Amino acid sequence: MKKWNEYLWIFSAVYMTLGFFNILFAWIGLICFITPLLLSIIGKGKIYCNSYCGRGQLFELLGSRFKLSSNRSIPAFVRSKWFRYGFLAFFMTMFSIMVFSTYLVFNGTNNLKEVITLLWTIKLPWNWTNTSTVSPWIAQFAFGFYSVMLTSTILGLITMYFFKPRSWCVYCPMGTMTQSISMLKHRRMVK
Amino acid sequence: MRKAVVNQKECVACGVCAKTCPRQAISIFHGIYAVVNEDLCVGCKKCERACPASVIQVVQKEAAS
């Protein structure tokens, strides 16, 4: 029998869908940022990646079960330290810029921009949600955070198609972070 | 005997191999890299094919005494 955590791909799929209907659901995605970090900090290693990552399961399902993956090997440079840490640094920089623009809306410097930014460049108007019920900065963070989630899903789908189903896991910034935390906690075991 | 060997320096510890292994011969060591239990490994290559980073290879090894 399948265990409950093997159905977490449903969580990921529902999460990505909800963002299309109401952007404020984007906040739920913080779970996927906080849980893996906390688990590795308390010494559970990469148990999130290994057993609970809904996104990984979704790529596995689409790539393996639905045969949408060409199953080729990923180019060796993608698994190199400099690429993985470089992508993490880039990702964190873009994330910080997003948090800063939320702050600028919070302190009243800027107005709320109802836009989803794909792949850090393409701006999509996303103004069908009534966001007037919440403070503008809460909505701004939702737009920014959903942009991050949608962008990384698209990158993951592209590499799922060209390489192995879960090739996103090779350069996933969360995965790189949890592995680094695990390495710091068990320095003597690192090869 | 054929056994799976992990390039642990480049392993991303995602756990796909451990999930794929029909013999539960692979575990993720403290979230750092995959470790193969050679007593259980039958060299079926399922992990080699599944590994998203392509850092597992099944190679010919001397039989353990």
Side-chain angles (χ1 to χ4, degrees), chain A residues 36 39-41 43-50 79 81 84-85 169-170 174-191, chain B residues 6-18 26-36 51 53 55-56:
Chain A
L39 285 172
S40 58
I41 287 167
K44 299 283 181 193
K46 288 190 63 166
I47 190 146
Y48 185 85
C49 304
N50 304 161
R79 61 173 183 259
K81 289 267 182 290
R84 290 180 64 209
Y85 286 111
C169 302
V170 179
M174 293 312 298
T176 306
M177 270 194 276
T178 51
Q179 193 178 21
S180 312
I181 294 168
S182 305
M183 282 174 168
L184 283 172
K185 288 183 77 90
H186 301 274
R187 251 157 281 166
R188 255 173 273 149
M189 320 289 194
V190 178
K191 301 238 166 170
Chain B
V6 182
N7 172 357
Q8 291 174 333
K9 268 193 179 154
E10 295 197 302
C11 176
V12 300
C14 64
V16 171
C17 51
I26 312 183
S27 52
I28 304 300
F29 183 79
H30 293 305
I32 310 175
Y33 44 70
V35 176
V36 179
C51 176
V55 293
I56 305 183

Side-chain angles (χ1 to χ4, degrees), chain A residues 7-189:
Chain A
Y7 293 99
L8 283 167
W9 59 270
I10 299 171
F11 173 80
S12 270
V14 169
Y15 173 76
M16 293 317 296
T17 313
L18 284 176
F20 279 85
F21 294 102
N22 191 321
I23 194 66
L24 296 175
F25 283 115
W27 276 85
I28 299 170
L30 277 176
I31 296 171
C32 313
F33 271 53
I34 295 163
T35 320
L37 291 176
L38 280 182
L39 285 172
S40 58
I41 287 167
I42 62 166
K44 299 283 181 193
K46 288 190 63 166
I47 190 146
Y48 185 85
C49 304
N50 304 161
S51 306
Y52 302 106
C53 179
R55 170 176 300 205
Q57 290 175 11
L58 195 60
F59 289 146
E60 186 70 54
L61 187 80
L62 294 174
S64 299
R65 188 86 59 83
F66 292 101
K67 303 194 191 313
L68 295 175
S69 172
S70 50
N71 278 304
R72 273 181 292 231
S73 284
I74 204 155
F77 78 87
V78 181
R79 61 173 183 259
S80 67
K81 289 267 182 290
W82 69 264
F83 183 84
R84 290 180 64 209
Y85 286 111
F87 186 69
L88 170 63
F90 171 72
F91 190 89
M92 290 310 284
T93 308
M94 300 315 274
F95 193 85
S96 310
I97 291 171
M98 184 275 282
V99 172
F100 187 66
S101 58
T102 303
Y103 169 72
L104 290 181
V105 172
F106 173 78
N107 77 0
T109 310
N110 287 343
N111 289 325
L112 169 66
K113 286 186 200 74
E114 296 193 311
V115 162
I116 291 293
T117 312
L118 277 190
L119 301 164
W120 305 283
T121 44
I122 308 156
K123 298 207 187 292
L124 302 175
W126 205 276
N127 49 11
W128 52 82
T129 303
N130 177 15
T131 51
S132 60
T133 49
V134 293
S135 302
W137 73 272
I138 291 178
Q140 188 61 64
F141 182 80
F143 282 108
F145 197 74
Y146 195 71
S147 300
V148 170
M149 296 303 265
L150 201 56
T151 295
S152 50
T153 305
I154 289 169
L155 282 179
L157 285 172
I158 293 171
T159 54
M160 176 208 74
Y161 175 77
F162 284 107
F163 309 110
K164 304 273 174 86
R166 279 183 69 161
S167 42
W168 165 252
C169 302
V170 179
Y171 60 99
C172 169
M174 293 312 298
T176 306
M177 270 194 276
T178 51
Q179 193 178 21
S180 312
I181 294 168
S182 305
M183 282 174 168
L184 283 172
K185 288 183 77 90
H186 301 274
R187 251 157 281 166
R188 255 173 273 149
M189 320 289 194

